[in-house]
Amino acid sequence: MTSLNPVGVALFVAVALWLARMWFREAKENPQGGGGLPGASSCPARAVAVAVAGTLVLLGLEVWGEIRLGIAEEQKDVSWLALPLFVAAAFTEEVIFRGYLVVERRGNAVRWASIVAFSLIFALMHDHLWSFEMPDDRSAGTFAAIREGFSLNLSAKGFFSTGFIFAGALWFYFVRFFRWNPHASLLAPVAAHLAKNVVVFFVKLAQGHVTSWI
């Protein structure tokens, strides 16, 4: 387990809270959207409910699959400090990916092509197929140190987890743009992402993968 820096986590949470405050204020002032922040608009309760339910179904399939494949114990350990990080990430990642990183106003084909591409990038950003640790000895130079510290992890667990993150990202995009969310509000994918991250943390806790406070 890589320990988390409490100061770094606190700063990240503070930025997420500031961004959320701005987002909700704009959504209240312009419930139909059109402001400066993407997806800052009202969202029907049924859209939020569908988004959360679909995410929990995907997560249930993922946990069941890990157990059936015998790879549940290959999960990464986390600390309790990961919980506020997971909560803050649910909002900031949605604003960045499902908000800014999508090509709109060029037709459905282009939009969904961008959704697939950015979902793949989102999945590959999570370090299930790779790992990086900066070596202590950097005498060979920064780029050589980065190359030395990077390694691939082409395991069944790596591909399995990355695949489900990709599926989850597609779902988050879908619930932003499906017809029950008429103003393409980010509230539906944010709620879904938040539900997933919180449940993932407590699944880890139940399985013994929350191993310290920091």
Side-chain angles (χ1 to χ4, degrees):
M1 181 189 71
T2 302
S3 61
L4 294 172
N5 184 327
V7 175
V9 172
L11 288 174
F12 184 74
V13 170
V15 170
L17 287 172
W18 172 76
L19 184 61
R21 183 171 178 268
M22 291 178 57
W23 190 95
F24 280 103
R25 177 186 294 174
E26 187 171 303
K28 184 177 180 180
E29 293 174 353
N30 302 286
Q32 294 187 351
L37 289 172
S41 56
S42 63
C43 182
R46 64 176 181 175
V48 173
V50 169
V52 171
T55 293
L56 295 181
V57 169
L58 280 173
L59 182 57
L61 290 173
E62 183 178 2
V63 173
W64 176 81
E66 286 179 344
I67 294 172
R68 291 287 295 176
L69 293 173
I71 57 177
E73 290 305 313
E74 296 179 34
Q75 291 185 58
K76 294 180 181 179
D77 293 341
V78 299
S79 68
W80 276 94
L81 200 56
L83 181 56
L85 186 66
F86 285 1
V87 171
F91 187 82
T92 55
E93 288 180 353
E94 290 310 303
V95 171
I96 293 169
F97 276 89
R98 265 57 70 178
Y100 287 108
L101 297 184
V102 58
V103 179
E104 299 189 70
R105 301 183 182 90
R106 295 190 179 180
N108 282 335
V110 173
R111 182 174 68 182
W112 282 103
S114 74
I115 284 173
V116 172
F118 286 124
S119 294
L120 182 59
I121 292 171
F122 180 77
L124 293 176
M125 282 177 57
H126 291 73
D127 59 346
H128 292 292
L129 289 173
W130 55 272
S131 62
F132 177 77
E133 185 174 350
M134 182 64 78
D136 294 330
D137 180 13
R138 305 181 193 179
S139 58
T142 302
F143 290 108
I146 291 174
R147 186 171 61 250
E148 181 183 342
F150 180 83
S151 61
L152 292 175
N153 176 31
L154 304 181
S155 64
K157 176 67 170 65
F159 282 108
F160 184 85
S161 296
T162 301
F164 267 95
I165 292 173
F166 176 68
L170 290 176
W171 176 250
F172 296 153
Y173 275 113
F174 174 76
V175 296
R176 183 186 174 198
F177 294 110
F178 77 147
R179 62 185 179 87
W180 281 5
N181 190 3
H183 304 306
S185 174
L186 276 175
L187 188 58
V190 165
H193 200 151
L194 177 61
K196 177 184 178 180
N197 283 6
V198 171
V199 173
V200 163
F201 179 86
F202 285 103
V203 167
K204 284 181 175 291
L205 180 65
Q207 295 178 339
H209 292 287
V210 179
T211 57
S212 68
W213 288 102
I214 297 178

